[in-house]
Amino acid sequence: MKLAIFDDYRLGVVSPDEARITDVSAALPWPRDSDPFGASWWVRLCRDFGELRSRIESTASSGPGRPLESVWLRAPVLNPSKIVACAANYAAHVAEMKGVRQRVGGPGEARFSQFDVFLKAPSSIIGPRESVVLPPGPSSAGVEIHHESELALVIGRGGSSIAEDRALDHVLGYTIGLDITVRGAGDRSRRKSYDTFTPLGPWVTTADEVGDPHTLDIRLSIGGAVRQSVNTQDLGVKIPGIIAYTSGVMRLEPGDVILTGAPQGVGPIRDADVMDTEISRLGRMLVSVRGMRNEG
Ligand code: MN
C-alpha cells in the first residue's frame, strides 16, 4: 500500500499504477487535524498501522479516487521525533569522500570512514512539490552543497534495543530521501539541517509491498545526467543492523525517519537544477533547487 499525505494534511492511498489517489482520512479512528502541529494522528497511524490496515484498505477500495496530479503531495511523514541518518554506509561513497575532503576541507578521515548514525533536524523536511533552497551564507562563500539520494524508512512500532532478527517488524515502510549537505568544515548536524534540506516522498510504500529492501535500485539524475546509480544490496550495514544499532542508543518512536546512507556519486547542486530520483518499487520524485546563481 502506498500511503500519502496531501492537500490539507489528508491521508491518501495511491493506486498501484500511481495514477490516482483516494482520500482515506475517514478510516482514522481519531480526529485528523489539518494543522500539521496537531498531527499526532500520523504518529498514531504509524504505531497502529497493523490494526488499522483493513479499515484503510476498505476505504481505499470504496471509491475511484482522484487523479494524482490534481492533489498537492506533501512529505509523507508528519512530525517525526527525529531523523536518523547513516554515515559511511556504502564503501564506494566512503572512497569518493576522500577526494571531496581534499577539495573542500572538513573533518578528517578517522571521523568519517566508519559507519555511524547522526541526527538531522526534522524541520528540514519538505515534500516532493517543494524546492530545496540553497542558504545564502554557504552559497555566497562558494561552499559546495551536495545531493545525497538515499533509501529512507519510516518506523512503525517503536522500541529500544531492538534485536536484528525482529528489526524489520518495526518498519512501516520506505520512501525516497534526499540528504542535502553543505560540505566542508563545521558540525554535520548544522551542515545537513538547513531548512528544506530533507526532501522526502512521494509516498510511503508499506514494507509488505516492498519485500526485501536490499534489492532496490536507487538512481538520481540532474538534467538527464545520471549522478548516482546503485543497488541497496551494496549497503554496508543492512537495515536490521541500522535499526539494532540506532535503537541501542536512542529509542525509536513511531514515525521516526531513518536515512540509510548515501551511495557514491554525490555532487554539487545549483540554482534551477531539478533532482530526479527514483527508487524501484517506491516511485519517482522530482525536487527543484532554488538559490544563488552559479557563477561558473
Ligand atoms: Mn546522507
Side-chain angles (χ1 to χ4, degrees), residues 48-111:
D48 299 343
F49 182 72
E51 294 94 88
L52 294 172
R53 174 179 195 117
S54 60
R55 292 172 63 141
I56 294 171
E57 276 173 340
S58 68
T59 306
S61 61
S62 68
R66 291 196 268 157
L68 187 62
E69 65 264 21
S70 71
V71 306
W72 181 274
L73 279 183
R74 296 184 178 273
V77 302
L78 277 173
N79 301 341
S81 80
K82 52 194 166 294
I83 305 171
V84 176
C86 296
N89 208 15
Y90 287 90
H93 171 60
V94 172
E96 78 177 347
M97 281 306 293
K98 289 175 183 158
V100 171
R101 280 191 289 274
Q102 278 167 5
R103 192 167 73 243
V104 303
E109 289 313 310
R111 189 166 155 207

Side-chain angles (χ1 to χ4, degrees), residues 96-279:
E96 78 177 347
M97 281 306 293
K98 289 175 183 158
V100 171
R101 280 191 289 274
Q102 278 167 5
R103 192 167 73 243
V104 303
E109 289 313 310
R111 189 166 155 207
F112 279 147
S113 56
Q114 276 201 312
F115 173 82
D116 212 334
V117 295
F118 58 94
L119 296 175
K120 293 189 75 164
S123 47
S124 66
I125 292 172
I126 60 169
R129 297 236 181 140
E130 296 172 81
S131 299
V132 168
V133 179
L134 303 177
S139 299
S140 59
V143 173
E144 290 184 19
I145 298 172
H146 282 194
H147 59 79
E148 298 186 355
S149 64
E150 308 189 12
L151 173 64
L153 63 89
V154 178
I155 294 294
R157 249 182 332 110
S160 298
S161 300
I162 297 167
E164 279 198 30
D165 62 356
R166 305 308 305 266
L168 292 179
D169 298 343
H170 291 261
V171 178
L172 171 71
Y174 299 89
T175 190
I176 299 171
L178 290 168
D179 175 16
I180 306 299
T181 303
V182 172
R183 296 295 178 204
D187 197 273
R188 183 160 47 188
S189 66
R190 188 266 307 164
R191 293 187 290 103
K192 289 172 173 278
S193 288
Y194 285 88
D195 290 350
T196 74
F197 268 27
T198 311
L200 294 173
W203 43 73
V204 171
T205 304
T206 53
D208 59 292
E209 190 171 311
V210 172
D212 183 354
H214 306 106
T215 59
L216 306 177
D217 290 319
I218 302 176
R219 186 190 52 74
L220 179 143
S221 59
I222 296 177
V226 175
R227 301 272 195 97
Q228 294 182 274
S229 180
V230 74
N231 188 282
T232 53
Q233 69 188 1
D234 293 340
L235 274 168
V237 176
K238 309 292 191 228
I239 289 165
I242 296 169
I243 291 173
Y245 179 78
T246 305
S247 67
V249 178
M250 56 189 104
R251 185 187 154 73
L252 288 171
E253 303 286 2
D256 282 355
V257 175
I258 299 181
L259 298 167
T260 56
Q264 62 276 20
V266 302
I269 51 173
R270 301 188 174 88
D271 179 55
D273 281 348
V274 176
M275 295 176 284
D276 179 354
T277 304
E278 197 162 10
I279 300 183

